Amino acid sequence: MFDDAHLARRAEELRVAAGDHYRKAAQYDARGDEAQAKEERQAAVRSTQRAEIHERLMGRRWSAIAMAWLLGKDSEEARKLLDQVERVSTDELLTHGDRDPYSEDRINVLQGYACEWAMANSMRNGTVDSVVDQVLHMEGLGVEVNIAALARMTGISRQTLHARLRTARASE
């Protein structure tokens, strides 16, 4: 599903869509409809950003789930993660020893794992937020939740649950 041909084809489709949005924006500008023109320009920018992400993923042998997650992210978040993964050079990562012809491939694999780690953290944080929201909802109904038992049930540490609950209650 995420071979280079698919990614290139999808990137091209997104770039064509961006061009269509810019043409529509020009038409709206000609009619004097500033709000609609602005909306079309924003859609064009989003399409262009999505195309760039597809292009940056070409040549990577990352897991399909990591790539799908990254393509499903907000464009700005996906760009930041790719920047973070690419920021570390081969020279910085490999501190000493002889480099073999497969070093770049191994670094590519490590970058894929870094993306999977970010995906797992995002999912974990989303789940913790959902648990906290549910606890607050139950407390709002007059039910007291035993945080130690909840921690054992979910595997989320008591400290994390207490800290997140404290923060959520303070923001209410």
Side-chain angles (χ1 to χ4, degrees), residues 13 16-17 20 22 52 64 77 88 90 113 116 131-132 143 145:
E13 290 169 1
V16 167
D20 292 343
Y22 279 123
E52 289 169 357
E77 289 180 49
V88 178
T90 302
Y113 290 146
E116 289 176 21
V131 168
V132 167
V143 177
V145 177

Side-chain angles (χ1 to χ4, degrees), residues 3-94:
D3 63 349
D4 286 352
H6 168 78
L7 291 168
R9 190 171 41 255
R10 184 66 182 130
E12 181 62 26
E13 290 169 1
L14 289 164
R15 290 205 181 274
V16 167
D20 292 343
H21 286 296
Y22 279 123
R23 277 187 285 287
K24 287 179 186 175
Q27 291 171 353
Y28 286 122
D29 277 336
R31 291 185 212 148
D33 190 348
E34 291 292 321
Q36 197 65 33
K38 180 180 178 184
E39 198 172 301
E40 287 297 329
R41 279 191 290 279
Q42 289 172 341
V45 168
R46 284 191 304 272
S47 236
T48 301
Q49 289 172 339
R50 303 293 315 147
E52 289 169 357
I53 291 166
H54 279 76
E55 290 164 350
R56 287 179 72 179
L57 288 175
M58 290 191 312
R60 298 184 187 273
R61 291 189 310 260
W62 294 0
S63 71
I65 193 163
M67 291 178 97
W69 174 78
L70 195 58
L71 289 170
K73 294 293 288 176
D74 171 70
S75 297
E76 187 61 26
E77 289 180 49
R79 188 189 60 72
K80 283 180 185 176
L81 177 64
L82 285 169
D83 288 347
Q84 173 186 327
V85 164
E86 294 169 347
R87 185 177 309 129
V88 178
S89 69
T90 302
D91 291 336
E92 183 182 1
L93 189 61
L94 304 177

Side-chain angles (χ1 to χ4, degrees), residues 128-129 132 136 147 156-171:
V128 171
D129 291 343
V132 167
L136 292 175
I147 300 302
I156 303 168
S157 74
R158 284 192 329 253
Q159 295 85 353
T160 297
L161 287 169
H162 281 300
R164 295 280 185 100
L165 283 165
R166 210 174 15 259
T167 303
R169 287 178 185 129
S171 67

Side-chain angles (χ1 to χ4, degrees), residues 126-154:
T127 301
V128 171
D129 291 343
S130 297
V131 168
V132 167
D133 289 344
Q134 188 61 38
V135 168
L136 292 175
H137 177 71
M138 293 170 73
E139 287 176 348
L141 297 173
V143 177
E144 187 175 328
V145 177
N146 181 334
I147 300 302
L150 181 63
R152 285 193 313 276
M153 180 178 79
T154 61

